[in-house]
Amino acid sequence: MNILHIDSAITADASVSRDLTAQIVAKLKSTHPDATVTYRDLNTGVPTIDTAWFQAIRQTPETPSDAQKQIIATSDAYIQDIRDADVLVIGLPVYNFTVTAQLKNWLDQIARAGVTFRYTAEGPEGLMTGKRAIIAYAAAGTPFGSDLDFASDYLQHMLGFIGITDVTFVAADRLAFDRDAGLARARAALDAIAA
């Protein structure tokens, strides 16, 4: 088993999502001791897509400049992480009702037509199939799955868009109101996951 472990919280050791992703990875490794883990801490920085990215990635120059080669290599590396993974474990801290900027940047880097999805006569088709994702959702005030939660549906949609439809959530929500109850809900969801 190859595990891609992704964190994006800005709160360092105080992060609930980081703690949950670590617990999820530990549970997977307890039943798959030979599993490999690739770790990406998106909080260290993920380049935003911009005009230079568009020109390097979408316009596919025949002879890319050194700067364009670096842009392409960065995006390709994120995509290769996913290709190599059987399971993605993604920390989803909710800031201002949605995904972190870093996680959004990562999603923008990996959503590439002809690489991770393609357009067909029936609509878009994800190309990163046969993988599983376990999402560690953590929110101080946003109830998981509520009308205020613009994070979980979005992340699940984007994963499905590139072909990852087996998605499970471990949610610790409403932590600012009743931290113990929120963590208990997450523990119960974690215990229910088949490793």
Side-chain angles (χ1 to χ4, degrees), residues 44 46-47 114 130 132-133 182 193:
T44 62
V46 178
R132 174 185 182 197
I193 289 174

Side-chain angles (χ1 to χ4, degrees), residues 15-39:
S15 168
V16 171
S17 68
R18 286 177 185 272
D19 182 54
L20 289 174
T21 60
Q23 289 183 57
I24 294 165
V25 169
K27 179 170 184 175
L28 293 171
K29 284 190 65 78
S30 72
T31 54
H32 302 278
D34 294 332
T36 62
V37 180
T38 299
Y39 181 70

Side-chain angles (χ1 to χ4, degrees), residues 3-4 14 16 36 41 43 47-48 91 104-105 134 156 165 177 183:
I3 302 166
L4 175 57
V16 171
T36 62
D41 185 350
N43 191 46
T48 58
K104 174 65 165 66
N105 291 344
I134 305 171
Q156 185 165 3
T165 57
F177 303 103
L183 293 175

Side-chain angles (χ1 to χ4, degrees), residues 28-192:
L28 293 171
K29 284 190 65 78
S30 72
T31 54
H32 302 278
D34 294 332
T36 62
V37 180
T38 299
Y39 181 70
R40 287 269 188 190
D41 185 350
L42 304 184
N43 191 46
T44 62
V46 178
T48 58
I49 62 171
D50 56 13
T51 302
W53 187 91
F54 175 80
Q55 290 170 342
I57 299 289
R58 295 285 171 87
Q59 294 184 331
T60 56
E62 190 171 315
T63 54
S65 68
D66 287 344
Q68 288 174 324
K69 287 177 185 175
Q70 182 56 52
I71 290 169
I72 295 165
T74 298
S75 179
D76 283 350
Y78 292 133
I79 292 169
Q80 192 61 48
D81 286 346
I82 299 170
R83 276 200 183 104
D84 292 342
D86 301 300
V87 181
L88 287 72
V89 177
I90 303 174
L92 177 56
V94 178
Y95 301 154
N96 301 317
F97 310 104
T98 192
V99 300
T100 65
Q102 299 89 326
L103 186 53
K104 174 65 165 66
N105 291 344
W106 178 78
L107 291 166
D108 287 341
Q109 288 282 352
I110 66 167
R112 283 175 49 191
V115 180
T116 57
F117 73 94
R118 66 182 171 200
Y119 293 110
T120 72
E122 292 77 38
E125 175 187 2
L127 302 175
M128 308 297 273
T129 57
K131 301 174 188 303
R132 174 185 182 197
I134 305 171
I135 313 300
Y137 176 103
T142 305
F144 174 70
S146 72
D147 290 344
L148 301 176
D149 171 14
F150 299 104
S152 61
D153 280 351
Y154 173 69
L155 181 55
Q156 185 165 3
H157 173 80
M158 288 301 297
L159 292 172
F161 185 71
I162 65 169
I164 302 170
T165 57
D166 181 357
V167 179
T168 303
F169 284 90
V170 173
D173 62 351
R174 295 168 280 171
L175 296 170
F177 303 103
D178 190 339
R179 185 177 181 84
D180 290 342
L183 293 175
R185 285 190 292 276
R187 277 192 301 274
L190 179 58
D191 289 344

